[in-house]
Amino acid sequence: MDRLVKADVNGIELAFIRGQKISKTFTLTNLMHTMSVAVSLSTKNPSFFSFNKPFSIIPPLSSSSYTLLSQPSNQPPLTDPPDAITVKTSMVPLGKANHDDLCRRFSKPGPHIFKDATLPITFLGPQVIEHLISGNTTISDIDLCLNNAISGCSGNQLTVLLKSAAVSGKTYLVRTLIDNGGDVNHKDSNGRSLISLAVEAGYLDVVNVLISSGCEIDNSIDHVFHYAAAINSVDLMDVLFRAYENTDLIESVDFHGRTPIHISAIHGHTQVIRFCLSVGASPDVLDINKCTPLHLAAKGGHLDTVECLLDASNYTKYALNKEGRTPFALAFGNDCSNVYDSLQLSDALNRAARVGDVNGIKSCIGKGANVNGKDQNGWRPLHRAAFKGKLESVRTLLGYGSEVNVVDDNGYTPLHCALEAGHVEVALLLIGHGAYAKFEESQRYRDEGWFEIRWL
């Protein structure tokens, strides 16, 4: 004999609702024509599940209904493997037995006990998926649990869950919810796309899934490059740029008139700025306060970012914002002394070197100016002083550690500059401090009274 009773279901499906009792009724039918059958019902989690009739007797060819009851819970009691109702049976020749007799009968295994059915317990509904999104479960068969839960959800519920999965970085859940009807082009209350939400949260894999699933963005609302810039993610920038192939997006402005470069400048995210520049974005855009990205980087004291922006644009150093202030003025107002040299002191030092203002040189260096700082042509203060023949300026700069053999963007050293301008004393001073250069013998130098020499 295969079994004594038959269940009317293959499993028990419970629509889980947080904080509420759950119940499900099923029927067992006695298959015996002349013999009553005793039934015992149990689960692995008796503290959560109970039955209205844990023990009963079913007369021949009769049926009996049973109700599985659950305790209220804040989360579905997912187990690994999933819980199930175990249906055990035993023949009752006399057709009668009291509760204690049945307890004793099923308390010990033996040939008189049959295991007629195992009815898996599954949980349905959005709150089960919310639990999976939260990550507070270690069950191994996520597929089974998720598919069961999805069967109890409406399309709108799947879409809401899709948003939660996207902002939580649950890539697999995002893909599954989309495959089962979640709307990939759902907008939040501010009109932002799921891609915006995933980018802002920094989940690259989720963004890739959304893009491949056809998620669309609205350029006027979805400032995806701004979000990527704010979290310093070049990887997200690259994925977005390749996906939408639109240079205008990377130069789009937000509600403050700021481009992604502005946002990066605020946070000092230099690598993001370099990426934006590499794909054609401009470093010179003004926001609604007429601030360039350099203004914002200077205000924050982000030295690497300041220097990157100075390399990208020479004139922005002198740009005035709405209040008529330069980047240096903003840095000074916020006591960001680490960027003074890049923004202004280097200019003052070059000017002092050029005019022979020794006190000015000392003052600038004392305030933190870089004695070897270069201008837009790669000239250092020593180049300036040598070219103008300012002997004391050269001497002072050398005394403060100027590199005597430093070269500009064209490969010229300060010695080249001195010779080109005909300043013999300066040239000799530089040579005395180790200057060298490679010159071919020149008729010009001989004609002008120079000593013949080849510096190697």
Side-chain angles (χ1 to χ4, degrees):
M1 181 179 295
D2 293 331
R3 56 184 175 175
L4 303 181
V5 300
K6 179 182 179 181
D8 67 337
V9 293
N10 293 321
I12 304 298
E13 296 180 338
L14 298 177
F16 178 79
I17 301 175
R18 195 175 294 112
Q20 294 187 19
K21 289 184 177 182
I22 315 167
S23 64
K24 185 72 173 183
T25 298
F26 60 98
T27 299
L28 297 176
T29 300
N30 183 353
L31 301 177
M32 303 295 292
H33 286 72
T34 60
M35 190 78 68
S36 294
V37 172
V39 175
S40 168
L41 303 177
S42 63
T43 67
K44 292 185 297 184
N45 191 356
S47 63
F48 186 82
F49 293 114
S50 61
F51 298 91
N52 65 329
K53 296 185 293 186
F55 299 103
S56 65
I57 294 177
I58 308 177
L61 298 180
S62 297
S63 299
S64 181
S65 295
Y66 301 86
T67 301
L68 175 69
L69 305 169
S70 74
Q71 297 298 317
S73 175
N74 289 326
Q75 61 186 39
L78 304 177
T79 58
D80 198 4
D83 207 343
I85 298 174
T86 300
V87 181
K88 293 181 180 180
T89 59
S90 180
M91 289 183 288
V92 185
L94 299 179
K96 292 181 180 181
N98 61 36
H99 183 273
D100 291 340
D101 290 337
L102 293 177
C103 285
R104 284 191 293 270
R105 179 185 292 269
F106 287 105
S107 64
K108 296 180 180 180
H112 63 291
I113 301 297
F114 297 86
K115 186 176 179 180
D116 271 17
T118 300
L119 306 176
I121 301 172
T122 57
F123 295 93
L124 317 180
Q127 293 184 7
V128 179
I129 302 177
E130 289 175 7
H131 179 66
L132 296 176
I133 292 172
S134 73
N136 295 324
T137 181
T138 57
I139 60 173
S140 58
D141 198 346
I142 292 289
D143 282 339
L144 176 61
C145 182
L146 182 59
N147 289 331
N148 289 331
I150 285 174
S151 67
C153 297
S154 67
N156 288 337
Q157 288 172 331
L158 291 177
T159 298
V160 173
L161 292 164
L162 174 59
K163 174 185 172 182
S164 296
V167 299
S168 299
K170 305 298 182 181
T171 308
Y172 177 74
L173 295 180
V174 167
R175 185 181 292 110
T176 304
L177 291 168
I178 292 173
D179 290 343
N180 283 275
D183 182 6
V184 73
N185 282 308
H186 169 75
K187 307 294 184 181
D188 72 0
S189 58
N190 296 314
R192 297 191 303 169
S193 69
L194 293 177
I195 284 186
S196 275
L197 303 178
V199 170
E200 191 172 26
Y203 293 120
L204 178 61
D205 290 343
V206 172
V207 171
N208 279 320
V209 170
L210 293 172
I211 290 173
S212 65
S213 300
C215 186
E216 300 174 352
I217 62 174
D218 182 340
N219 297 350
S220 64
I221 297 174
D222 292 307
H223 302 300
V224 290
F225 285 99
H226 294 74
Y227 303 144
I231 62 173
N232 198 26
S233 179
V234 175
D235 289 343
L236 278 170
M237 282 272 192
D238 186 51
V239 165
L240 292 167
F241 187 77
R242 292 175 185 274
Y244 297 105
E245 297 181 350
N246 189 341
T247 304
D248 293 339
L249 279 176
I250 209 163
E251 286 201 299
S252 63
V253 296
D254 63 12
F255 305 115
H256 300 286
R258 292 171 177 170
T259 67
I261 294 184
H262 280 95
I263 303 302
S264 301
I266 291 171
H267 298 286
H269 296 160
T270 309
Q271 292 302 319
V272 172
I273 291 176
R274 290 198 176 100
F275 175 84
C276 294
L277 295 173
S278 73
V279 295
S282 171
D284 302 326
V285 177
L286 304 179
D287 68 11
I288 59 175
N289 294 314
K290 294 188 176 180
C291 284
T292 66
L294 184 60
H295 280 97
L296 303 179
K299 183 178 180 179
H302 303 302
L303 179 59
D304 288 345
T305 305
V306 165
E307 292 181 343
C308 173
L309 291 168
L310 286 173
D311 286 341
S313 176
N314 293 323
Y315 92 89
T316 54
K317 181 190 296 188
Y318 311 105
L320 301 178
N321 68 4
K322 194 173 182 179
E323 298 173 344
R325 304 176 74 185
T326 64
F328 177 83
L330 291 181
F332 186 81
N334 285 274
D335 198 27
C336 298
S337 58
N338 62 315
V339 299
Y340 290 174
D341 179 52
S342 297
L343 292 170
Q344 189 178 80
L345 283 178
S346 57
D347 290 347
L349 178 57
N350 276 310
R351 185 164 53 251
R354 184 175 69 249
V355 301
D357 181 2
V358 172
N359 289 331
I361 291 173
K362 293 178 179 179
S363 175
C364 288
I365 295 174
K367 292 178 181 178
N370 182 0
V371 72
N372 291 302
K374 65 178 181 178
D375 64 12
Q376 64 269 26
N377 298 312
W379 272 35
R380 272 67 170 184
L382 192 59
H383 284 94
R384 296 283 182 190
F387 185 72
K388 289 296 184 178
K390 305 300 181 181
L391 185 63
E392 290 306 314
S393 290
V394 170
R395 197 186 312 277
T396 302
L397 291 167
L398 291 171
Y400 276 101
S402 285
E403 297 177 21
V404 71
N405 288 306
V406 68
V407 297
D408 67 6
D409 292 348
N410 294 314
Y412 287 96
T413 67
L415 181 57
H416 283 99
C417 294
L419 292 174
E420 184 71 23
H423 302 303
V424 177
E425 289 185 84
V426 171
L428 292 174
L429 178 60
L430 292 169
I431 293 168
H433 281 78
Y436 62 88
K438 184 177 180 181
F439 282 104
E440 296 297 330
E441 292 184 15
S442 168
Q443 182 63 43
R444 171 187 166 193
Y445 293 138
R446 288 196 296 272
D447 292 346
E448 294 181 359
W450 288 88
F451 43 87
E452 280 190 26
I453 189 169
R454 184 190 301 268
W455 291 287
L456 299 175

